[in-house]
Amino acid sequence: MIWKYAVRECKAHVVMSVLCLVQAMLLFAIVVGMLSIFMVRYSEYRPVRKLVEQNGFICMLNASYHMDSEKGMVVQNSQTYETMLKDAHVEGQYSVEAFVDEPEEVADARKKNSYRENVWAYDDAWISGYKPALRSGEWLQTDNDEGECLEAVVLQSKDQYKTGDVVYVDTNSTTKLQTKIPVKIIGVIDPSADIIYRSNRNGSVDYQILFSNMVKQSDDLSKLDYVESDVFNPVEFFVSKKNLDRVQETYADRESDKNLSDNYENVLSTKKQIFVTTLSGVALITMDGKCSESVYKYNKNKVAQISRFDFLHDLDYIKKNTWHNIMANLSELIPVGIGMILFTMISFVTLSTLMYQKNMRKYSIYYVQGLTWAKIFRIHVSYIFMIVLAALLLGILVIVAAGHLGVWSGLAVQLGVVQIIGCLFVVILLLVSSALMCLSMVKGRSAREHYGKGI
């Protein structure tokens, strides 16, 4: 019965209902617009937020060295690096002395003792912390215990390899391997995707310092080659460090002791290592949030002593710069937006209150005929809810339709979960505000007073 009376009110006050509808739609438009601007900027940061918002620092390593008993030997893994720090955890990337599917240009360069690599490995935090956009297949797995073949995702300037292809490692850069180690391609990265590879070195000091991008950083993808290209090879293979270590265990004895490679003595001198790795690329060095300032400073100074790097920044510094850039210009829009929201809400509540006052005589008659004030009040709130809901649904349809027609092309307008939640919050605010205003008019007044003073 309540909804029946509410519909009757809509029909009886078409002009006022339309005015409230327009006010509500304008309010939803402002909310969606402001949240869209924020979400567009935040959406790129969100995938790496957990990586960045830790206690520690980020470093672009070129190489690191043991300073004591190892006589300056290059650090090959993050576990060894951690032993030189205090209560710190290191997650790194690795350049791997290996080449997959060696092309003629690399073979020619090798004859001149110029070695090339196209394999990179990740610690688990990089694998689980960020997944680049893929053209096909799947991303690397942190629980990979495969020991017979390397599972790799490939980034390439041309469509040379496809998901499911199997290629081979037959050189560890310095040594020709007699055992061909299979590499199964489980995914292909979109060349226009941001990847955590080597920093883009473009001077950014926010989260973008993590990323490289083959398309953005290459003048012409077709001209990439293994000899002259500075940042990207035409083909790069990315693997799990855990998977790489397992394959190393499987093939090391077989290669050095049984198959007798062309450079047997060199293999033995590397302690049966097929894949020599160097901790290189973007590294995260993190500590407990409650660690002392002295421990923090010790670790940062130690990194500066044992490593060659392009930059070393506090993660807190990166986080602050990131949020500053996300909120850039929004700080000017927010007061304006809030002002518009408040003005529109006040206008809507004022209109709904005027309608309640205008209907007071009619509501008093409902009361005399047997309806309680509680039911009469619910009729008016239901009427307002119908207007607000209609405005919300109509606004969503307009946004979706405009999106299909390309109206929002190049603009920040989008309709996602956050925007819907924001609109639902506004719905609640409108209903509560309108209800409280109307209750203030009813409180302490009898049906006779309402009838006598109603319009």
Side-chain angles (χ1 to χ4, degrees):
M1 182 182 70
I2 290 175
W3 290 105
K4 178 181 177 182
Y5 279 105
V7 172
R8 184 181 296 175
E9 292 300 315
C10 286
K11 294 178 179 179
H13 306 286
V14 176
V15 175
M16 294 289 281
S17 298
V18 171
L19 286 175
C20 284
L21 181 72
V22 172
Q23 292 277 10
M25 286 185 65
L26 179 60
L27 184 56
F28 291 134
I30 296 170
V31 170
V32 169
M34 291 189 64
L35 290 176
S36 293
I37 294 172
F38 172 79
M39 288 306 298
V40 166
R41 297 182 179 185
Y42 175 69
S43 60
E44 294 182 356
Y45 174 56
R46 180 170 52 190
V48 294
R49 181 175 179 179
K50 289 183 179 180
L51 293 173
V52 173
E53 297 190 1
Q54 301 183 77
N55 182 43
F57 26 89
I58 185 172
C59 184
M60 175 60 187
L61 295 175
N62 294 317
S64 301
Y65 302 90
H66 298 274
M67 301 302 291
D68 301 317
S69 60
E70 297 291 338
K71 298 179 181 180
M73 188 174 179
V74 174
V75 176
Q76 295 188 13
N77 57 65
S78 56
Q79 292 78 14
T80 302
Y81 201 97
E82 286 177 1
T83 63
M84 294 183 281
L85 304 176
K86 289 183 179 179
D87 301 323
H89 181 64
V90 180
E91 292 288 348
Q93 303 171 45
Y94 305 85
S95 60
V96 183
E97 291 186 13
F99 208 101
V100 178
D101 252 19
E102 183 174 297
E104 185 177 346
E105 61 184 306
V106 173
D108 291 342
R110 192 180 304 284
K111 293 175 183 177
K112 302 175 184 178
N113 293 323
S114 179
Y115 302 114
R116 296 290 184 270
E117 303 160 356
N118 67 349
V119 180
W120 285 77
Y122 287 121
D123 277 335
D124 284 352
W126 293 121
I127 294 173
S128 61
Y130 179 72
K131 176 184 175 181
L134 302 175
R135 278 193 171 177
S136 64
E138 59 184 18
W139 181 233
L140 301 171
Q141 301 298 316
T142 57
D143 58 352
N144 192 329
D145 59 357
E146 170 61 45
E148 291 297 325
C149 75
L150 284 171
E151 294 184 347
V153 292
V154 63
L155 176 68
Q156 55 192 356
S157 57
K158 301 176 182 178
D159 293 331
Q160 183 175 349
Y161 300 109
K162 294 180 175 59
T163 297
D165 287 350
V166 177
V167 288
Y168 295 89
V169 176
D170 59 8
T171 175
N172 66 345
S173 288
T174 57
T175 304
K176 183 73 173 179
L177 304 176
Q178 297 301 310
T179 304
K180 288 192 172 184
I181 300 174
V183 180
K184 181 180 179 182
I185 297 173
I186 63 172
V188 177
I189 301 174
D190 190 322
S192 65
D194 287 331
I195 63 169
I196 297 176
Y197 169 54
R198 284 178 281 186
S199 174
N200 56 32
R201 305 180 187 180
N202 65 355
S204 63
V205 285
D206 61 3
Y207 75 95
Q208 296 181 56
I209 204 169
L210 291 170
F211 293 129
S212 293
N213 189 296
M214 178 178 273
V215 169
K216 293 178 182 177
Q217 292 176 247
S218 304
D219 295 331
D220 187 345
L221 294 186
S222 65
K223 293 182 179 180
L224 288 179
D225 63 71
Y226 292 104
V227 178
E228 300 295 334
S229 296
D230 183 35
V231 179
F232 287 96
N233 287 317
V235 182
E236 303 278 8
F237 292 87
F238 298 93
V239 301
S240 159
K241 180 62 164 55
K242 190 179 294 182
N243 177 210
L244 186 78
D245 290 342
R246 289 280 293 166
V247 172
Q248 164 76 23
E249 293 173 7
T250 301
Y251 290 94
D253 286 337
R254 188 186 311 176
E255 177 61 29
S256 61
D257 294 337
K258 182 179 179 180
N259 288 315
L260 297 178
S261 69
D262 293 343
N263 196 356
Y264 177 66
E265 292 182 358
N266 195 14
V267 174
L268 291 181
S269 70
T270 61
K271 301 177 182 179
K272 299 181 182 179
Q273 283 185 290
I274 296 175
F275 301 117
V276 178
T277 60
T278 301
L279 193 61
S280 176
V282 184
L284 278 182
I285 301 165
T286 57
M287 289 147 280
D288 187 271
K290 298 179 181 179
C291 82
S292 66
E293 185 68 20
S294 61
V295 170
Y296 187 94
K297 288 182 177 179
Y298 172 87
N299 286 331
K300 192 170 184 180
N301 290 333
K302 194 67 174 180
V303 171
Q305 291 173 13
I306 65 179
S307 301
R308 288 190 291 108
F309 52 82
D310 290 344
F311 59 75
L312 176 63
H313 295 305
D314 295 330
L315 285 172
D316 187 59
Y317 174 67
I318 298 297
K319 181 183 73 173
K320 287 179 179 177
N321 285 330
T322 295
W323 282 107
H324 173 77
N325 292 338
I326 288 175
M327 300 304 293
N329 300 325
L330 282 179
S331 57
E332 299 175 4
L333 292 175
I334 287 174
V336 176
I338 291 176
M340 293 177 67
I341 289 172
L342 289 175
F343 176 77
T344 309
M345 283 190 64
I346 292 172
S347 298
F348 181 90
V349 171
T350 301
L351 281 174
S352 66
T353 305
L354 286 174
M355 283 190 288
Y356 188 80
Q357 190 176 26
K358 186 178 181 63
N359 289 332
M360 198 66 72
R361 184 184 183 92
K362 184 193 302 182
Y363 291 161
S364 299
I365 295 174
Y366 289 166
Y367 178 80
V368 172
Q369 292 179 342
L371 287 180
T372 64
W373 281 119
K375 286 186 177 181
I376 293 170
F377 177 71
R378 287 201 295 271
I379 290 173
H380 186 75
V381 172
S382 298
Y383 166 45
I384 298 302
F385 177 72
M386 288 175 62
I387 294 175
V388 173
L389 183 62
L392 178 60
L393 295 177
L394 187 58
I396 291 174
L397 287 175
V398 170
I399 291 173
V400 172
H404 282 297
L405 294 174
V407 175
W408 309 131
S409 179
L411 300 177
V413 178
Q414 56 181 222
L415 193 62
V417 175
V418 172
Q419 288 86 338
I420 294 296
I421 291 174
C423 289
L424 292 177
F425 181 70
V426 169
V427 169
I428 294 172
L429 280 179
L430 288 176
L431 291 177
V432 171
S433 301
S434 300
L436 289 175
M437 284 294 292
C438 295
L439 279 176
S440 67
M441 296 181 63
V442 175
K443 187 176 181 181
R445 299 175 69 183
S446 66
R448 183 183 297 276
E449 289 176 312
H450 286 307
Y451 186 83
K453 296 182 180 181
I455 297 176

